[in-house]
Amino acid sequence: MSELPVHAPAVSTRATAAGLTAQEVLTAAGAKDSAVARVDGVLVDLTSVVAQDAVVEQVPYASPDGLAVLRHSAAHVLAQAVQELFPGTLLGIGPPIKDGFYYDFLPAQPFTPEDLSLIEKKMSDITRQRQRFSRRVVSERDAKAELGHEKFKLELIALKGSAPEESVEVGGTELTIYDNLVGTETVWSDLCRGPHLPTTRDIPAFKIMRSAAAYWRGDQANEQLQRIYGTAWASKDDLKEHLRLIEEAEKRDHRRLGVELDLFSFPDEIGSGLVVFHPKGGVIKREMEDYVRRRHLEEGFDYVGTPHIAKEGLFHTSGHLPYFADGMFPPMVMEGSDYYLKAMNCPMHNLIYRSRGRSYRELPLRYFEFGSVYRNEPSGVIHGLTRVRGFAQDDSHSYCTKEQAPDEVKHLLTFILGLLKDFGLDDFYLELSTRDDSKPDKFVGTNEDWVTATAVLEQCARDTGLELVPDPGGAAFYGPKISVQARDAIGRTWQMSTVQYDFNQPRGFELEYQAADGSRQQPVMIHAAKFGSIERFIGVLTEHYAGAFPAWLSPVQVVMIPVHSDYDGYLWEVAAQLKASGVRVEVDDSDDRMQKKIRNAQKLKVPFMLIAGGEDVEAGAVSFRFRDGTQDNGIPVADAVARIVEAVLSRA
RNA sequence: GCCGGCUUGGCGCAGCGGUAGCGCAACGCUCUUGUAAAGCGUAGGUCGUCGGUUCGAUCCCGACAGCCGGCUCCA
């Protein structure tokens, strides 16, 4: 979003003599505002000496590389501030990230909010001192000696060369340490690849955001460190704009809007991660479901229904219990059997398939339902509607021959993308989740089947023309998957739909069809959730629209407001006409004054307010006020009704 | 699940070792004339739950539950 402002093209020039610094070369070429330089394609400090004839490019602060460097430099200042305030605190890593940076620490005590204010102040002190970042190449041996007390840094040095991913600390062919100099005195040092800004004073704008815990090197089995997040920008204005965007995002948080618009809640008495939809949220849910069900029928799916629980054996047959038991609610015992709440619908659909013999003529056979599933999500991951313990998937399973599989996957992808567009989402990319070959115990099936299935999905994904991002190791235990990631109105991405290619469950359930030659063959099944989960989708839509749903989804489509209570009766008559056309309309005949009624309807983000006073009554008209505050006055009632009905039908 | 923070009427917030206030919403009355807040009054809380410390706990301590921010995980 704000990461890529329009700027003059970066200056690119050549070093005309030996012994010049990148800064000197760029200044001679008239380039100001450089965070670092790119010399022959490599980012280096402005203070580094460049070879004669080297190509030296300016890297502006506001460029992606420039931002990464200034954020990384800010991370260094953070680490320095922490170690000065809390001596003995060990350092983890401190990379730049989207919008900012973080640094991981192992302090004696976790940081308090007061600590964070102190740290931010200390950082300001350090930046004011204009400390110079000075690069020094060290041998591995010297680095180990110098950093002997920093056990995490030692681990990074040991990983150098063996780690597949390069980090901001080590990488490339040599180890470097950056010293912070005041005059000629070194006041602080850190193992770092660089490059950095020339001085701490060159960090244009930063702010400490929050602290949180994080596992060392992202592994739950490792020690937990304290991470401090900050944000940093190329100018104070950029920082202000970033903070404003955060505020905007908070305003459209679906958890907040859920309360304000009376859509849903999460009663403690029911349990964590279990939602109840209130009548207004129920309208949105019903409209969505009705539309999605209709579209499935149009696309050749059969609507089916299955229970919420099943005996243990079913989930053994499907293979879920061995691989997914931790993700399921614990069983309940009845009449000597263990019953599980289902965490997925496929096993039950398989039983419908298996209920009688199947012919190749029936394939592809497509079952669809809003299947309620329950998953034992760890308490710490539950989040509003986007991560719950009980939810409905708009789940389908397509049974087809191997030969039909590519076409069926394509069919599903086309269907899904069209459906998401119908709900106002139109910016997507795809993710291809594949098997992790180093963890064979987490996946079932032969290598050959995995290769085939993955190839089919990859080809279909490429055929959409959308960006395709690999997700190694992200596959389900029974097969690879494509997931559709949608970007919302303010650029955040959400995982929505999934399409999974499954050759394992048909084997486990011994699913068969009789082929044209009379032989019995095994079908493959394609799992597909279009919205992923109804609950998550409602949460995402709420944020996408900031609660201002399009008219067809709005819980209340029209609020009628009399200028004076004398006109209540007239509005009730108009409302009756709207109701007769299927419009969800309310008449505000409360004791509030007109202005207050407008305010109330505006806060509820009702798409149409219809206001009427003496002038309208005389003319047989009503006056529109729209959500954006604009008006359209004196519209004949029949026209007004037609306009509203048209807006709803067009799903605008 | 892990780390930290938080939990006071429906919602948003004060308060703080001597058993609680404000605004909005609700309810009642008086109002109502053209596009974002009329006035007055009334009612509503065993301060998340359980235990401990104390003469006395909403306040201090502990456990549990829930929520929030992250990590890990995921539709």
Side-chain angles (χ1 to χ4, degrees):
Chain A
M1 305 175 282
S2 51
E3 293 256 348
L4 297 169
V6 180
H7 280 280
V11 170
S12 179
T13 184
R14 273 182 189 275
T16 52
L20 297 173
T21 66
Q23 175 79 78
E24 287 164 344
V25 174
L26 284 173
T27 304
K32 295 169 195 155
D33 178 46
S34 246
V36 285
R38 186 180 288 104
V39 175
D40 289 335
V42 180
L43 290 179
V44 301
D45 297 328
L46 288 171
T47 51
S48 58
V49 175
V50 302
Q52 188 162 1
D53 287 333
V55 176
V56 182
E57 289 171 80
Q58 174 195 24
V59 178
Y61 278 89
S63 67
D65 284 332
L67 283 169
V69 167
L70 79 87
R71 286 167 183 166
H72 182 51
S73 294
H76 266 237
V77 173
L78 166 61
Q80 184 180 354
V82 166
Q83 287 201 318
E84 286 183 15
L85 286 168
F86 305 95
T89 297
L90 297 183
L91 300 178
I93 61 169
I97 54 173
K98 180 175 166 12
D99 301 336
F101 58 91
Y102 68 78
Y103 214 113
D104 286 342
F105 303 98
L106 185 63
Q109 299 289 328
F111 301 109
T112 65
E114 294 72 41
D115 292 341
L116 295 185
S117 315
L118 288 177
I119 290 166
E120 193 174 84
K121 279 202 193 76
K122 177 62 81 174
M123 286 177 70
S124 297
D125 292 346
I126 292 168
T127 57
R128 266 196 296 274
Q129 285 171 18
R130 201 184 291 273
Q131 301 182 2
R132 282 177 292 127
F133 287 104
S134 175
R135 179 182 152 100
R136 166 161 62 96
V137 177
V138 289
S139 70
E140 186 167 328
R141 204 180 134 160
D142 289 349
K144 280 182 177 163
E146 188 171 338
L147 297 165
H149 55 289
E150 293 278 5
K151 63 176 179 179
F152 299 112
K153 296 290 181 190
L154 289 178
E155 207 176 309
L156 292 175
I157 294 169
L159 283 168
K160 177 181 175 292
S162 65
E165 81 282 16
E166 298 207 334
S167 67
V168 291
E169 278 71 25
V170 296
T173 52
E174 52 191 11
L175 282 176
T176 50
I177 286 178
Y178 273 77
D179 298 316
N180 281 43
L181 302 181
V182 174
T184 54
E185 186 197 353
T186 298
V187 292
W188 192 73
S189 303
D190 191 14
L191 177 73
C192 181
R193 287 177 70 187
H196 276 290
L197 301 177
T199 77
T200 56
R201 188 87 174 99
D202 297 312
I203 302 169
F206 70 90
K207 182 173 166 55
I208 292 302
M209 301 302 282
R210 64 175 67 91
S211 68
Y215 299 103
W216 169 237
R217 301 187 62 223
D219 189 334
Q220 216 172 118
N222 288 342
E223 200 158 2
Q224 202 161 39
L225 307 179
Q226 295 298 314
R227 176 172 296 178
I228 296 179
Y229 285 93
T231 187
W233 296 87
S235 72
K236 294 252 191 299
D237 282 346
D238 287 356
L239 172 62
K240 253 167 92 179
E241 175 64 8
H242 175 65
L243 297 177
R244 194 189 65 78
L245 284 176
I246 290 175
E247 239 173 86
E248 279 301 309
E250 277 168 11
K251 275 190 207 151
R252 55 171 76 212
D253 188 314
H254 73 278
R255 294 166 301 183
R256 173 173 167 165
L257 288 168
V259 176
E260 287 174 5
L261 305 180
D262 195 15
L263 301 177
F264 49 79
S265 60
F266 300 89
D268 289 357
E269 294 83 344
I270 296 179
S272 179
L274 298 167
V275 65
V276 292
F277 285 97
H278 300 191
K280 284 180 177 162
V283 169
I284 297 169
K285 183 164 174 285
R286 194 193 68 230
E287 287 287 353
M288 278 178 51
E289 288 172 350
D290 285 352
Y291 183 70
V292 170
R293 182 168 17 231
R294 203 184 87 211
R295 287 291 297 121
H296 273 86
L297 297 178
E298 288 167 1
E299 294 292 326
F301 292 82
D302 296 322
Y303 186 70
V304 298
T306 60
H308 292 202
I309 64 174
K311 288 187 286 188
E312 157 174 46
L314 180 66
F315 301 114
H316 275 299
T317 305
S318 69
H320 284 100
L321 268 181
Y323 286 92
F324 201 69
D326 286 350
M328 295 176 72
F329 274 66
M332 30 197 162
V333 183
M334 194 181 82
E335 291 177 346
S337 292
D338 279 355
Y339 284 79
Y340 281 86
L341 280 164
K342 69 176 171 183
M344 63 296 297
N345 304 296
C346 31
M348 300 200 178
H349 289 187
N350 291 342
L351 297 179
I352 301 174
Y353 180 96
R354 209 175 67 177
S355 63
R356 62 171 171 80
R358 299 291 174 184
S359 155
Y360 73 96
R361 295 174 196 273
E362 292 180 82
L363 306 184
L365 192 55
R366 305 182 179 98
Y367 296 147
F368 158 74
E369 74 169 310
F370 294 109
S372 295
V373 297
Y374 297 88
R375 295 185 183 176
N376 179 17
E377 299 293 344
S379 55
V381 309
I382 288 168
H383 182 96
L385 285 175
T386 57
R387 198 73 185 275
V388 290
R389 285 187 172 149
F391 58 101
Q393 295 178 307
D394 55 336
D395 205 2
S396 75
H397 297 94
S398 301
Y399 300 87
C400 58
T401 68
K402 279 198 179 74
E403 294 70 32
Q404 289 170 331
D407 280 345
E408 185 60 14
V409 172
K410 270 178 216 161
H411 171 226
L412 285 163
L413 280 175
T414 307
F415 175 35
I416 285 169
L417 295 176
L419 205 50
L420 293 176
K421 281 180 188 151
D422 290 338
F423 282 87
L425 296 171
D426 53 14
D427 187 2
F428 312 113
Y429 68 94
L430 303 180
E431 220 172 70
L432 180 64
S433 301
T434 50
R435 183 166 79 155
D436 182 348
D437 292 331
S438 69
K439 292 180 183 162
D441 55 316
K442 285 186 77 178
F443 305 94
V444 283
T446 65
N447 197 40
E448 191 189 340
D449 281 336
W450 275 92
V451 168
T452 308
T454 305
V456 168
L457 290 188
E458 181 166 357
Q459 188 55 50
C460 293
R462 294 207 182 283
D463 287 348
T464 62
L466 293 170
E467 185 191 349
L468 182 63
V469 177
D471 172 32
F477 69 86
Y478 49 73
K481 78 177 172 196
I482 296 172
S483 55
V484 179
Q485 314 280 329
R487 289 189 188 88
D488 72 10
I490 57 172
R492 295 167 303 178
T493 65
W494 302 90
Q495 176 169 344
M496 321 265 16
S497 334
T498 59
V499 176
Q500 301 175 320
Y501 188 118
D502 185 356
F503 43 84
N504 277 303
Q505 287 197 58
R507 186 178 305 134
F509 279 87
E510 298 178 328
L511 303 185
E512 288 182 341
Y513 65 89
Q514 188 148 16
D517 62 3
S519 65
R520 297 199 177 270
Q521 302 288 332
Q522 201 165 82
V524 294
M525 61 191 289
I526 316 290
H527 308 240
K530 272 62 48 173
F531 288 166
S533 105
I534 302 294
E535 285 76 5
R536 175 179 289 182
F537 196 71
I538 290 175
V540 171
L541 273 193
T542 303
E543 305 211 357
H544 179 62
Y545 288 119
F549 294 98
W552 74 288
L553 287 172
S554 286
V556 178
Q557 294 164 324
V558 180
V559 168
M560 316 218 48
I561 298 172
V563 169
H564 182 275
S565 54
D566 288 351
Y567 311 115
D568 285 1
Y570 176 74
L571 286 185
W572 277 113
E573 286 171 28
V574 178
Q577 290 184 48
L578 284 164
K579 267 188 191 155
S581 302
V583 175
R584 294 184 287 271
V585 54
E586 287 177 1
V587 178
D588 190 346
D589 58 2
S590 68
D591 287 342
D592 289 326
R593 288 170 140 82
M594 178 192 62
Q595 283 80 352
K596 181 62 176 293
K597 294 179 182 185
I598 289 169
R599 179 180 156 85
N600 287 343
Q602 191 79 42
K603 281 172 68 176
L604 290 174
K605 306 185 192 242
V606 174
F608 303 106
M609 288 179 224
L610 288 186
I611 298 170
E615 294 163 31
D616 294 293
V617 172
E618 247 172 66
V622 288
S623 294
F624 277 92
R625 180 191 161 101
F626 303 100
R627 263 192 300 229
D628 64 359
T630 59
Q631 317 175 18
D632 208 347
N633 295 335
I635 307 299
V637 170
D639 294 357
V641 173
R643 270 167 77 163
I644 290 163
V645 168
E646 164 57 20
V648 171
L649 287 182
S650 67
R651 295 201 307 275

